[in-house]
Amino acid sequence: MSQDASTEGDLRNTGMSLKHDREWDYELDRIVEAVEERDATKVGLQFPEGLKRRGPAVADDLRSLTDDDVTYMLSGQPCYGACDLDTYLMRRTDVFVHFGHSPMKESDKIIYVPLFSNVDPFPIMADSLDELDVGDVGLVTTAQHMNRFEEMREWLEDEGFTVHTRKGDDRLTHEGQVLGCNYASADIDADQVLYVGGGKFHPLGLAMEHPDKTVVIADPVNNVVTVADTEQFMKQRYASVHKAMDAEKWGVIFCTKIGQGRWDVAESIVEDNDNAYLITMDEVTPDRLRNFDMDAFVNTGCPRITTDDGPQFHKPMLTPGEYRIAVGDEPLDSLSFDTFHGTW
Ligand code: SF4
């Protein structure tokens, strides 16, 4: 999942007290301007999960700033990334505002409001120097810290590093940005990468995708520095693959979310395996799959559902690459992180 502003900077689950005021800039002026410019009468607002509770207040503020004939509608669909636009609501509105993620694909109708974190990354970056060798280093971060990226680069340069950055592919908006499903920005010419951001899963994916590099995590949210260790994660994935090796009936999930569809991947699995059944769905949850009498599942949608929520499903849930291993098409040591490229 792309880390959204709802989890980034949120210390409630860590047992730590909030150190930083959390005031997001909802960029109301930009929205009002678009509403007026387009003579919009219907406006859709989509928030990531943790910020949905702010929706009504944002709608109230916008109401007070625009004409009475403008109707604001809140999306109640789950939302974990810019891959996850509420297309139903979007089609029925003149302006559609997506909060909390940077654009995956621009469109005239959509206004993306990224909601940058206001956590200061530099104290924890200073701590991370103990784990880095002065020399070449790659720098990556999530969309929430992107507003400080140039400062981070300069800070590292002042510390004597040669900083390598790149913009990954179309799925990423910014240079140095990573998503939970795309680490192409770390494809740089350095043996070590500094990841600045909250959470463990992004850097784990990063370390799996670039096993030749040391990934140092400077987490300004939880205030810790760690070095990504993929061993535990790999063990969990191998265990799932092993469990699925005897499977006969496979459920192949095709996710209908706009930025999560990998039709070719799903189709090729079903074409090659008479015991594989294509299942289409938007939200992939254990409850929704429980009634399917399958021995195992392959998820062609968001890779993080497979890796982060995998153990909660009643049957093994594999990535497409892991499926190939489980059915014997690929060797066990080809196990790699599932990534997503391009948009729609
Ligand atoms: S598909 Fe990628 S961007 Fe979308 S929720 Fe999953 S990890 Fe995040």
Side-chain angles (χ1 to χ4, degrees), residues 8-161:
E8 185 83 348
D10 192 335
L11 302 183
R12 284 170 309 168
N13 298 328
T14 67
M16 300 165 76
S17 58
L18 280 167
K19 279 199 292 193
H20 313 278
D21 286 333
R22 306 268 313 292
E23 295 223 343
W24 307 109
D25 177 5
Y26 294 98
E27 300 193 41
L28 300 185
D29 293 349
R30 190 151 68 94
I31 301 168
V32 169
E33 200 178 304
V35 169
E36 285 170 357
E37 234 174 50
R38 299 176 206 178
D39 281 329
T41 55
K42 292 190 178 67
V43 178
L45 306 176
Q46 185 178 25
F47 292 85
E49 289 318 288
L51 288 176
K52 279 196 165 59
R53 65 185 184 281
R54 309 265 181 217
V58 173
D60 280 346
D61 288 347
L62 286 167
R63 266 193 216 130
S64 70
L65 295 167
T66 47
D67 290 345
D68 288 349
D69 65 344
V70 184
T71 306
Y72 291 91
M73 289 174 262
L74 300 169
S75 170
Q77 293 289 89
C79 175
Y80 302 101
C83 59
D84 202 352
L85 302 172
D86 185 339
T87 48
Y88 182 93
L89 184 58
M90 193 160 71
R91 274 199 296 273
R92 286 158 182 81
T93 46
D94 307 311
V95 170
F96 182 78
V97 190
H98 181 91
F99 293 93
H101 304 109
S102 59
M104 192 164 280
K105 187 167 175 166
E106 297 280 5
S107 132
D108 285 348
K109 187 183 266 188
I110 311 170
I111 297 176
Y112 293 90
V113 178
L115 302 179
F116 294 117
S117 168
N118 57 9
V119 174
D120 178 0
F122 298 105
I124 203 68
M125 283 176 71
D127 290 352
S128 75
L129 295 180
D130 291 345
E131 302 291 348
L132 293 166
D133 298 323
V134 175
D136 294 306
V137 69
L139 174 65
V140 294
T141 187
T142 59
Q144 278 65 50
H145 299 283
M146 223 59 239
N147 56 332
R148 311 292 293 270
F149 191 71
E150 281 312 313
E151 284 174 72
M152 292 180 201
R153 180 210 301 277
E154 282 163 22
W155 188 94
L156 283 168
E157 282 169 354
D158 288 347
E159 293 293 330
F161 288 89

Side-chain angles (χ1 to χ4, degrees), residues 1-2 80 83 104 171 179-181 260 302 304:
M1 263 143 243
S2 63
Y80 302 101
C83 59
M104 192 164 280
R171 202 167 174 80
L179 290 172
C181 58
Q260 293 189 21
C302 172
R304 307 318 295 255

